[in-house]
Amino acid sequence: MTAIAGPLLSATINGVTYGATLFLVAVGLSLIFGVLRVLNVAHGSFYALGAFTAASAWLLISALGWPPLCIYPALVISALVVGVAVGPVVERGLLRWTFGIEAEAARENAQLLATYAIFLMLEDAQKLIWGGQPYYSGSALRLLGITRINGIPYTNYQLLLILVAVLVLIALRILLRGTKMGKFVLAVAEDPEVSSAMGIPVARIYTVAFTVGAILAALGGALASPTIGVNTGIGSEMIVLSFAVVAIAGLGQIEGAAVAALVIGVGHSIAVFFFPALSSVIPYATMLLVLVFKPYGLFAAAQVRRI
Amino acid sequence: MRAVRSLLWLAVVGGYAVLPWLAPSLTYQLTIVLALGLAALAVSLMLQAGLISFGHALFYAAGAYAAAYLGRLTGAHVVITLLLSSLSAALLALIAGLLIVRYRGIFFAMLNLALSMVAYTLLLKLYNVTGGSDGLVVSATGVAGYAMGPTGLADLLFYLALAAAVLAAWFVRVYLRSPAGWALGAIQDREIRVEYLGVSARRVLLVAYVLSGGLAGLGGAIAGIAVGHVAPDSAYWTTSAGFVVMAVLGGGGDVFGAFAGAALYEMLSVFAAQYLSSSWELLLGVIIFVIVRFAPSGLWGFYDGLWRRMAAGER
Amino acid sequence: MTAGAAALDVDGLSVYLGGATVVRGISLRVDRGATVGLLGRNGAGKTTTLRAVMGLVPVCAGRVTLLGEEVEGEPAHWRARRGVGYAPEDRRMISALTVEDNLWLPANACGLPHQAAAQRLAWIFEILPELEPLRKRWAASLSGGQQKIVALGRALMAGQELLLLDEPFQGLAPALARRYAEALSQLRERDRQVAILISESNPALLADVAQKTYTIERGEIVTAT
Ligand SMILES: Nc1ncnc2c1ncn2[C@@H]1O[C@H](COP(=O)(O)OP(=O)(O)OP(=O)(O)O)[C@@H](O)[C@H]1O
Ligand SMILES: [Mg+2]
């Protein structure tokens, strides 16, 4: 019994950590979808940009000889910089025109293609800026020391990651339900037209929500950067994973995304222990399974069919 | 005018057919364009119903892997390999389609994506069956056991691909003008009205989806034989997205658009690989964006508009 | 803002929607503090007219003047901040929020200071006392009739100058409809100078509340009384 329980606990902790990153990225995607009704194919690129920027920040801190602990605020700042620099430009400059397309199918398709085009541009932008080689900032991982659980060492950084995800979840809930701006966002997500008739500047709310979504993706990337090799291609992988999380939860769901990210994270890590070859199938297989029984995700209400 | 346009088609196909004579070194590229065009045609068939698939690489890869397995059976003739590979992909599309045709819009796009990613991971991880990340060698023999040299096979494959492309284009055209094809186009914005007519939208979509899977599989098999090799990357979601881009570049409006889009895509990629090795995606991204933004009907729309203006001038 | 100008002056307004001109060159005027009816059958173009005044649909010809200021091309939220309130036909509560939050939204969005907003809310509770006990309820949990009242209250939060009410009596039980009409007449009596434009398909319901009625048919004003 204990022979199984040890690895299981370990897999669960690793899975929760993985799920935490996944949640940060996916909740950004879900927020953007919930408010703007855009499925942002370029979302994985925001994750990658966050990771690259954070890796550069680590190099810079080492080069300047600053105390290594500076990396932790630098991770968050990297995410903010990426989100604020890229989010509004993409939303205002490249996506806004699609909101005027009347027919729903044509609008969705234009948005899928436009965000895919943005994804391609950002992929190459990464190569142009950071070159083709991978970046490792793994030493940032060990700065906080390790904790032994059941004799197995975990970096405290991993545990910090979980804490950050929980804090983001709580903060989002408080911001959305408890502040004026959050209530504007909820109103626009539900009914942009009535919102504007009540005096809410809908276009501004779109930019805010998109930027916050981009910051969350970049934060996922920045926080994950010490735990992975930051390389081109991490964005294209993350976008499909976060799609899977969002689809399992139901588009636009926030707490649901946390549950789905956890399920995928833990499922993935457990599979790594027991059937390593199949572990990467877990997110997609889970998504397929959920959508077969709940076509709009676990936590979403059914949509009305178009007439 | 119609006669002129039909003649022009003949000229285009005829011109394409003699290209390998004029420039033998291009035969491979010309075959690949046809293979990609078939996959793009498959995607644009679903676009007729307003559905974007970000997962058609699944069927493309299925065709290529099927060709690889068939090649291992001694004496598998290239024509038979192509037919059987396409059929296997269509069969896979039938199984997947039973689930997928229940979805529309974003969910259709995402489910296709998920399925293809499952396939991609399996291709990557089931090393014993699929060769893992190394992939498999794809070989095919020539006419009736008659051993052909590599250039002979390349030429044969090119003409088979051209014949397949012309047949597929003709077939899709006829299909789109049949009642089933009309119903497919109507699903985009009047789905419930289609059902009032007693037609099952899901069945219409399933037929299109199976046809579409078969076309993509055919393209994959041709490409696999032309390259002589297939790897899991052929099932990755960016490959699927490439097909969508070709279909959109060409303009979903007609079967020819898909091939024009594939040709343009391949030309761009060859050009970019030569002159801007590291910013090819950047260029492609900009082009896609400009087309979606300013010319949503693509190359086909441009061409069709030209003819319309000429027809209007005549009157 | 021009002193003495009408609350709303519509001149030759046309709206083109989905391949047809659904509002064709209509003109109407709502004076300060006046209640004006817009009477028409289903599909006549009432909703479209109100939406065009609010800035929710693009106008293809004509002019809309709010409080003496021409508002061509200004977005809906700009108009709301000038004191125009809109209660749509189908209520459209924000179901993720409570009744109180729904009521606060326009005040916050229009940048009203907290003090003034609280005063305005108190004033609305005076006119619509049935709202007070609903404050903490989720908007989605209310009955259709209750939602209509909340929609009126919400429109009043922004609409201190002009209220656009789209078929407010539709679906209200007779007793509630009388209460609604009474609340509207109270608005006038309190000398707040709120102008009201009400669309309606039943002339009998307008008779009690409107001083002037325009009749709209197939997108054109046919009579004004
Ligand atoms: N978005 C749209 N696209 C196309 N046509 C529209 C659109 N909105 C309204 N119409 C048409 O414009 C006309 C006027 O519609 P409108 O909603 O203004 O009528 P109404 O007087 O409010 O009717 P009701 O009493 O049913 O609410 C109708 O014929 C309607 O079909
Ligand atoms: Mg109406």
Side-chain angles (χ1 to χ4, degrees), chain B residues 8-283:
Chain B
L8 198 68
W9 286 139
L10 273 179
V12 168
V13 173
Y16 202 84
V18 299
L19 275 178
W21 286 357
L22 303 177
S25 60
L26 282 182
T27 309
Y28 166 75
Q29 224 85 54
L30 291 167
T31 310
I32 293 291
V33 164
L34 292 168
L36 294 175
L38 284 166
L41 181 61
V43 169
S44 83
L45 190 59
M46 298 320 295
L47 271 175
Q48 293 286 330
L51 298 174
I52 285 193
S53 162
F54 266 108
H56 258 52
L58 169 63
F59 305 116
Y60 189 74
Y65 274 89
Y69 292 126
L70 288 164
R72 293 177 169 183
L73 306 172
T74 46
H77 188 279
V78 59
V79 176
I80 294 175
T81 302
L82 290 182
L83 283 176
L84 288 181
S85 305
S86 172
L87 271 180
S88 338
L91 190 65
L92 186 61
L94 176 64
I95 299 167
L98 289 173
L99 168 68
I100 282 189
V101 298
R102 290 162 47 189
Y103 300 85
R104 303 289 179 273
I106 287 166
F107 284 91
F108 180 85
M110 283 173 43
L111 263 180
N112 273 290
L113 178 80
L115 271 182
S116 71
M117 290 305 289
V118 169
Y120 166 76
T121 348
L122 291 178
L123 289 174
L124 200 62
K125 298 294 160 104
L126 299 180
Y127 186 84
N128 293 329
V129 192
T130 63
S133 57
D134 299 338
L136 296 174
V137 169
V138 187
S139 61
T141 42
V143 183
Y146 168 72
M148 296 174 87
T151 50
L153 185 64
D155 283 338
L156 176 64
L157 188 64
F158 171 80
Y159 288 108
L160 282 176
L162 186 61
V166 170
L167 272 177
W170 174 78
F171 184 78
V172 169
R173 212 181 159 97
V174 169
Y175 168 76
L176 286 178
R177 286 170 192 192
S178 72
W182 173 84
L184 186 68
I187 284 173
Q188 174 157 3
D189 43 21
R190 303 182 290 271
E191 174 160 345
I192 287 180
R193 265 187 263 172
V194 170
E195 299 216 327
Y196 285 157
L197 298 176
V199 183
S200 155
R202 285 186 188 175
R203 188 160 324 147
V204 169
L205 277 179
L206 186 61
V207 170
Y209 195 75
V210 170
L211 181 57
S212 169
L215 287 172
L218 183 59
I222 292 172
I225 298 173
V227 180
H229 180 255
V230 58
D233 275 356
S234 59
Y236 198 63
W237 76 270
T238 46
T239 309
S240 303
F243 299 148
V244 176
V245 170
M246 291 171 214
V248 171
L249 279 178
D254 202 282
V255 294
F256 185 70
F259 291 96
L264 180 61
Y265 187 92
E266 188 64 10
M267 267 170 5
L268 279 174
S269 80
V270 169
F271 167 83
Q274 207 134 37
Y275 299 105
L276 6 112
S277 55
S278 67
S279 39
W280 132 247
E281 289 182 318
L282 187 64
L283 177 73

Side-chain angles (χ1 to χ4, degrees), chain A residues 33 39 94 97 109 113 116-117 121 124 127 236 240 243 247 277 280 284 287-288 291-292 305-307, chain B residues 99 102-103 106 110-111 113 118 121 125 188-189 191 195 236-237 241 278-282 285 289 293:
Chain A
F33 184 85
L39 188 67
L94 301 177
W97 65 275
N109 289 350
L113 290 165
Y116 177 65
M121 297 181 212
D124 256 359
K127 281 182 219 152
S236 75
V240 281
F243 275 165
S280 359
Y284 312 114
M287 168 181 170
L288 285 172
L291 292 192
V292 168
R305 211 153 55 133
R306 235 179 300 131
I307 302 194
Chain B
L99 168 68
R102 290 162 47 189
Y103 300 85
I106 287 166
M110 283 173 43
L111 263 180
L113 178 80
V118 169
T121 348
K125 298 294 160 104
Q188 174 157 3
D189 43 21
E191 174 160 345
E195 299 216 327
Y236 198 63
W237 76 270
S278 67
S279 39
W280 132 247
E281 289 182 318
L282 187 64
F289 187 84
R293 173 81 178 87

Side-chain angles (χ1 to χ4, degrees), chain C residues 42-64:
Chain C
N42 291 130
K46 305 179 295 291
T47 299
T48 308
T49 305
L50 296 190
R51 285 160 54 80
V53 170
M54 192 66 229
L56 297 172
V57 285
V59 166
C60 71
R63 262 191 330 207
V64 175

